[in-house]
Amino acid sequence: MSRIVMKFGGTSVADLDRIRHVAQRVKAEVDAGHEVAVVVSAMSGVTNQLIGYVDSAGKLADLREYDVVVSSGEQVTSGLLAIVLQSIGVNARSWLGWQAPIRTDGSHGSARIREIEVEDLIRRFGEGQVAVFAGFQGIGPDGRISTLGRGGSDTSAVALAAALKADRCDIYTDVDGVYTTDPRIVTKARKLDKITYEEMLEMASQGAKVLQTRSVEMAMKHSVRVQVRSSFNDAEGTLVVDEDEIVEDALVSGIAYSRDEAKITLIRVPDRPGIAAGIFGPLADASINVDMIVQSYSADGNSTDMTFTVTKTDMDRAVSVLEELRDELKYDALTSDPNVVKVSVIGVGMRSHAGVAKKMFTTLADKGINLQVISTSEIKVSVLLAEEYAELALRSLHTAYGLDAA
Amino acid sequence: MSRIVMKFGGTSVADLDRIRHVAQRVKAEVDAGHEVAVVVSAMSGVTNQLIGYVDSAGKLADLREYDVVVSSGEQVTSGLLAIVLQSIGVNARSWLGWQAPIRTDGSHGSARIREIEVEDLIRRFGEGQVAVFAGFQGIGPDGRISTLGRGGSDTSAVALAAALKADRCDIYTDVDGVYTTDPRIVTKARKLDKITYEEMLEMASQGAKVLQTRSVEMAMKHSVRVQVRSSFNDAEGTLVVDEDEIVEDALVSGIAYSRDEAKITLIRVPDRPGIAAGIFGPLADASINVDMIVQSYSADGNSTDMTFTVTKTDMDRAVSVLEELRDELKYDALTSDPNVVKVSVIGVGMRSHAGVAKKMFTTLADKGINLQVISTSEIKVSVLLAEEYAELALRSLHTAYGLDAA
């Protein structure tokens, strides 16, 4: 007997037929003798509809009210799945965030889970009851509904698996698992049997939309064995595990890309101490996240060009902030470009192997692709390219690193 | 300064434009210096959609899960109205049933309110905060969401007004108030300025769909001054008040009708003690409510015809129950007829005036309308007619009792 958490995303519970299908999957695990907690997202489209209502309602002063509205989607799914499970003879009850409770901090709209009380759940497992959790939600210290931010149901599932000391946390989604890269672009992309937490984290934060970043961090911290698999078929998915479980010794495990980037360059900023703080401090104050940064000295030797990326949605705001600081920062000109893409090669193998970055640069150079910004970490190399080269870059790199399916 | 409860039904919060309109109404009361609690229904259509989901989900074993799903509609509206109020400068927060809390009994799906804790609300009134309540919901003794049954938001509003000792409870709806009869049928119907609780109760239970019966009972019990008024215009509505506040001395205040009736007759039942229990006991066991009952002796003197009404939706089930009992009850034949309408004249004035029933019978007889069943209470006379006479009966009676608008 194992204890497992099963999480079903929006497309997996899109309508009642899909929810019935989910119920059968849950029943199969129950019939196999497992203790099961289920976490469900809102039916697909519902959260966007609710956010649309909030956006139309007026300037949002109070994220607590946003949470009241938006959390209702998962509430509905949890009740419906409990009803369907009961109708096929499975003992089940729904749990809302405030009921377990799933205690979070007070950051409404993007709360972090602090603690989940599981004694009652475990007692009910003993009575053969399945717990059906509304994902994405908890209760804040103020006694009000909190939501965990986009993709938060993944985090709910992993946090629940950690609290329950579950043997497995299966994330059911509309893809078969984690691929070496986006199979819609690279037809030779392969599904990975296993991937390390760190690689998954880079894949997630670099734009692969399979698992939410925070849920991977949490899984890594608590050593939760996460499996990403499809709710539409019975194929094995991808296991996200500790590095020591990986036997295959690939240099690069996957290639991620993100179109959600925009590039901003400040041309000829006087080179003096504190200039970086003068630029990035005000952006941080405006809650604008800066990702890649490159500083290049200009020809005259006493000024510098500063290039960095922000998300596309933040670009206009970032430009405004910096234009207001023009007199202070004394730069010559400001350019911005939303037509860029970030491509990243990721793999724990590169820790012990040199030449990964070099292969990336030569491969892209061979195709005539200009690299605008480069950034690296221990297990990844990212480059910024003109968006029109995205597909070409992905396919070339996928082949170059030997990732193509046979 | 007064303390008022404002309740807005589904059509009054049908979309964001209507919710903005509601917010302006609330702001007007706040600007006038009043302490305000608002109760909202789900946006129109939402509750039916949610019930549709539940119905499709499978045989409903567990009304607690029904409540989880169906209560989400009001949750959304409460959050949205709070956001809109904040956006126009009104200090507001949403309250869900479990938050106040609004404590109910454990009858999920049709719970009754036991107690509402109002200390925190009253403290917040002192800080100028408007409380926006999700109607129709509370929390049961099991710590789970309970709903109050159809029309329950009216009950939420009246219960809140009673607990808060509010000066007024305004029920905003899509009609201008309570009419002498249905203005869609009788064009000369008049809006009543005032009506007594008891009359309103009869009007509500006799099919006038303005206020939910239970909310009127509760208003009467706690002497809550209820005003029914339109959210679409500024006209004064109808005040529901104690009898001693009524100065106008009308014999009949209104005429209600209900098409939701079906007639069943058992022909020639042997007349012996216990026969009524033998018929109505099994119906009650099957949760079938019986309304009007008439027993008439047949020609032979030792058997009786038993005629009674049930709701149209219960008719087939009632017939099945009685057919199974045929050997036991020994009746000759069973007939059923869904094509009937119940028409009721209602007025506290008839307590002190004779002749109200007589006028009803002669008026209908003059039009050649046959009365199938008659039942009376202290303040009403009801008759069952063939459905095709409904409009003719309503118009004739409206004129006969002097209710026509000038």
Side-chain angles (χ1 to χ4, degrees):
Chain A
M1 189 197 73
S2 297
R3 183 176 292 167
I4 57 180
V5 174
M6 308 171 77
K7 182 260 170 178
F8 295 90
T11 52
S12 303
V13 293
D15 53 39
L16 274 162
D17 275 347
R18 295 295 313 153
I19 292 175
R20 276 189 204 101
H21 182 83
V22 163
Q24 291 297 341
R25 288 236 152 177
V26 173
K27 184 174 192 300
E29 300 287 10
V30 172
D31 289 347
H34 300 313
E35 296 180 342
V36 181
V38 187
V39 176
V40 287
S41 298
M43 294 159 85
S44 57
V46 169
T47 302
N48 285 336
Q49 185 192 18
L50 294 168
I51 291 176
Y53 285 153
V54 170
D55 287 345
S56 319
K59 196 168 166 328
L60 184 64
D62 188 349
L63 281 163
R64 293 171 295 195
E65 303 300 349
Y66 168 94
D67 285 350
V68 168
V69 175
V70 175
S71 63
S72 66
E74 284 74 14
Q75 174 172 334
V76 169
T77 322
S78 68
L80 290 177
L81 179 56
I83 292 168
V84 175
L85 282 169
Q86 290 173 0
S87 76
I88 58 171
V90 176
N91 178 4
R93 80 154 269 191
S94 67
W95 292 88
L96 304 177
W98 56 271
Q99 287 177 324
I102 295 178
R103 295 190 199 284
T104 72
D105 64 14
S107 308
H108 284 275
S110 58
R112 286 179 173 265
I113 295 175
R114 286 252 173 88
E115 189 195 4
I116 304 179
E117 291 181 21
V118 293
E119 291 72 20
D120 195 20
L121 298 178
I122 290 172
R123 189 180 56 72
R124 288 162 182 266
F125 284 154
E127 297 165 2
Q129 190 175 74
V130 172
V132 182
F133 270 83
F136 175 65
Q137 62 180 252
I139 183 169
D142 52 2
R144 301 191 63 184
I145 295 174
S146 53
T147 67
L148 310 179
R150 276 293 196 173
S153 291
D154 288 346
T155 310
S156 302
V158 173
L160 202 55
L164 288 167
K165 303 192 199 317
D167 299 282
R168 223 168 69 222
C169 179
D170 289 348
I171 307 285
Y172 287 85
T173 175
D174 51 2
V175 296
D176 289 346
V178 182
Y179 277 72
T180 47
T181 193
D182 188 340
R184 288 168 302 183
I185 294 177
V186 181
T187 51
K188 291 176 176 170
R190 281 188 299 114
K191 187 178 72 183
L192 294 162
D193 294 331
K194 289 185 177 176
I195 188 171
T196 68
Y197 295 119
E198 284 162 293
E199 287 168 337
M200 189 67 233
L201 207 50
E202 291 289 356
M203 293 286 272
S205 61
Q206 300 307 311
K209 294 190 177 69
V210 181
L211 265 184
Q212 205 246 352
T213 311
R214 258 207 285 163
S215 67
V216 183
E217 286 171 355
M218 190 177 283
M220 179 159 67
K221 186 172 164 196
H222 298 282
S223 295
V224 174
R225 282 173 72 85
V226 171
Q227 183 180 195
V228 178
R229 59 188 305 185
S230 171
S231 69
F232 294 81
N233 63 52
D234 287 327
E236 291 285 310
T238 301
L239 265 178
V240 189
V241 291
D242 268 334
E243 203 169 332
D244 52 20
E245 283 200 49
I246 306 275
V247 282
E248 202 187 347
D249 195 21
L251 205 59
V252 163
S253 297
I255 304 173
Y257 72 101
S258 167
R259 295 186 197 271
D260 187 28
E261 307 277 325
K263 184 180 71 163
I264 295 176
T265 302
L266 295 179
I267 298 170
R268 272 196 294 283
V269 191
D271 188 29
R272 52 183 170 80
I275 189 66
I279 294 168
F280 299 115
L283 290 175
D285 293 344
S287 296
I288 296 170
N289 279 325
V290 172
D291 179 16
M292 309 171 92
I293 300 176
V294 64
Q295 189 173 352
S296 54
Y297 285 87
S298 54
D300 58 15
N302 52 23
S303 72
T304 180
D305 292 349
M306 191 71 93
T307 299
F308 56 91
T309 61
V310 297
T311 61
K312 270 199 175 69
T313 48
D314 280 343
M315 185 182 84
D316 289 345
R317 223 151 47 83
V319 168
S320 302
V321 167
L322 293 169
E323 279 176 346
E324 276 181 27
L325 294 168
R326 180 153 194 172
D327 289 347
E328 194 181 319
L329 298 174
K330 299 191 197 332
Y331 57 82
D332 264 17
L334 184 160
T335 64
S336 61
D337 181 3
N339 301 312
V340 292
V341 62
K342 182 169 67 170
V343 174
S344 309
V345 300
I346 294 158
V348 290
M350 67 178 79
R351 280 212 199 96
S352 47
H353 289 80
V356 170
K358 188 188 156 205
K359 180 175 283 192
M360 185 177 202
F361 304 153
T362 52
T363 303
L364 296 174
D366 286 350
K367 299 292 176 185
I369 302 172
N370 187 37
L371 310 186
Q372 304 184 2
V373 185
I374 298 168
S375 79
T376 62
S377 80
E378 223 189 349
I379 65 164
K380 78 148 205 271
V381 183
S382 300
V383 295
L384 198 71
L385 321 166
E387 193 168 18
E388 57 187 339
Y389 291 110
E391 293 83 1
L392 176 62
L394 281 179
R395 285 192 205 104
S396 311
L397 292 170
H398 201 264
T399 303
Y401 287 107
L403 296 173
D404 288 356
Chain B
M1 188 197 72
S2 298
R3 182 175 294 167
I4 57 181
V5 174
M6 308 171 77
K7 182 261 169 178
F8 295 91
T11 52
S12 303
V13 293
D15 53 39
L16 274 161
D17 275 347
R18 296 294 314 153
I19 292 175
R20 278 188 202 100
H21 182 83
V22 163
Q24 291 298 341
R25 288 236 153 177
V26 173
K27 186 175 191 298
E29 300 287 10
V30 172
D31 289 347
H34 301 312
E35 296 180 342
V36 181
V38 186
V39 176
V40 288
S41 297
M43 295 159 83
S44 57
V46 169
T47 302
N48 284 336
Q49 185 192 18
L50 293 169
I51 291 176
Y53 285 153
V54 170
D55 287 344
S56 319
K59 195 168 168 327
L60 184 63
D62 190 348
L63 282 164
R64 293 170 297 195
E65 303 299 349
Y66 168 94
D67 286 350
V68 168
V69 175
V70 175
S71 63
S72 66
E74 285 73 14
Q75 174 172 334
V76 169
T77 322
S78 68
L80 290 177
L81 179 56
I83 292 168
V84 175
L85 282 168
Q86 290 173 2
S87 76
I88 58 171
V90 176
N91 178 4
R93 81 154 269 191
S94 66
W95 290 89
L96 304 177
W98 57 272
Q99 288 177 325
I102 295 178
R103 294 189 199 285
T104 71
D105 64 15
S107 309
H108 285 276
S110 58
R112 287 180 173 264
I113 295 174
R114 286 255 173 85
E115 188 195 4
I116 304 179
E117 290 180 23
V118 294
E119 293 72 20
D120 194 21
L121 298 178
I122 289 171
R123 189 181 56 72
R124 288 161 182 268
F125 284 154
E127 297 165 2
Q129 190 175 75
V130 172
V132 182
F133 270 82
F136 176 64
Q137 62 180 251
I139 183 169
D142 52 3
R144 301 192 64 185
I145 295 173
S146 53
T147 66
L148 310 179
R150 276 294 196 172
S153 291
D154 288 347
T155 309
S156 301
V158 173
L160 202 55
L164 289 167
K165 302 191 197 318
D167 299 283
R168 223 167 68 220
C169 179
D170 289 348
I171 307 283
Y172 287 85
T173 177
D174 51 0
V175 296
D176 289 346
V178 182
Y179 276 72
T180 48
T181 193
D182 188 341
R184 288 169 304 183
I185 294 177
V186 181
T187 51
K188 290 176 177 169
R190 281 188 299 114
K191 188 178 70 182
L192 295 162
D193 295 330
K194 290 184 178 177
I195 187 171
T196 69
Y197 294 119
E198 286 163 292
E199 288 168 337
M200 189 66 232
L201 207 51
E202 291 289 357
M203 293 286 272
S205 61
Q206 300 307 312
K209 294 189 178 70
V210 181
L211 265 184
Q212 205 246 353
T213 312
R214 257 207 284 162
S215 67
V216 183
E217 286 171 354
M218 189 177 285
M220 179 159 68
K221 186 172 165 197
H222 298 283
S223 296
V224 175
R225 283 173 71 86
V226 171
Q227 184 181 195
V228 178
R229 59 189 305 187
S230 171
S231 69
F232 294 81
N233 64 51
D234 289 327
E236 291 285 311
T238 301
L239 266 178
V240 189
V241 291
D242 269 334
E243 202 169 333
D244 53 21
E245 283 200 48
I246 306 275
V247 282
E248 201 187 347
D249 195 22
L251 205 58
V252 164
S253 296
I255 304 172
Y257 72 101
S258 167
R259 295 186 198 271
D260 188 27
E261 308 278 325
K263 184 179 72 162
I264 295 176
T265 302
L266 295 180
I267 298 170
R268 270 196 296 281
V269 190
D271 189 27
R272 54 186 168 77
I275 190 67
I279 295 169
F280 299 115
L283 291 175
D285 292 344
S287 297
I288 295 169
N289 280 323
V290 172
D291 179 16
M292 309 171 91
I293 300 175
V294 64
Q295 189 174 352
S296 54
Y297 286 86
S298 54
D300 59 14
N302 51 22
S303 72
T304 178
D305 292 349
M306 192 72 90
T307 299
F308 56 91
T309 62
V310 296
T311 62
K312 270 197 175 70
T313 48
D314 281 344
M315 187 181 83
D316 289 345
R317 224 152 46 83
V319 168
S320 300
V321 167
L322 294 170
E323 280 176 346
E324 276 182 27
L325 294 168
R326 180 152 194 173
D327 289 347
E328 193 181 320
L329 296 175
K330 301 189 196 334
Y331 56 82
D332 263 17
L334 184 160
T335 64
S336 62
D337 181 3
N339 301 312
V340 292
V341 63
K342 182 169 67 170
V343 174
S344 308
V345 299
I346 293 157
V348 290
M350 66 179 77
R351 281 211 199 94
S352 48
H353 289 80
V356 170
K358 187 187 157 205
K359 178 175 282 191
M360 185 177 201
F361 303 153
T362 53
T363 303
L364 296 173
D366 286 351
K367 299 291 177 186
I369 302 172
N370 185 37
L371 309 187
Q372 304 182 3
V373 184
I374 299 168
S375 80
T376 61
S377 80
E378 223 188 350
I379 65 164
K380 78 148 207 272
V381 182
S382 299
V383 296
L384 198 72
L385 320 167
E387 194 169 16
E388 58 187 338
Y389 291 110
E391 293 82 0
L392 175 62
L394 280 178
R395 285 192 206 103
S396 311
L397 292 170
H398 201 264
T399 304
Y401 288 107
L403 295 172
D404 289 356

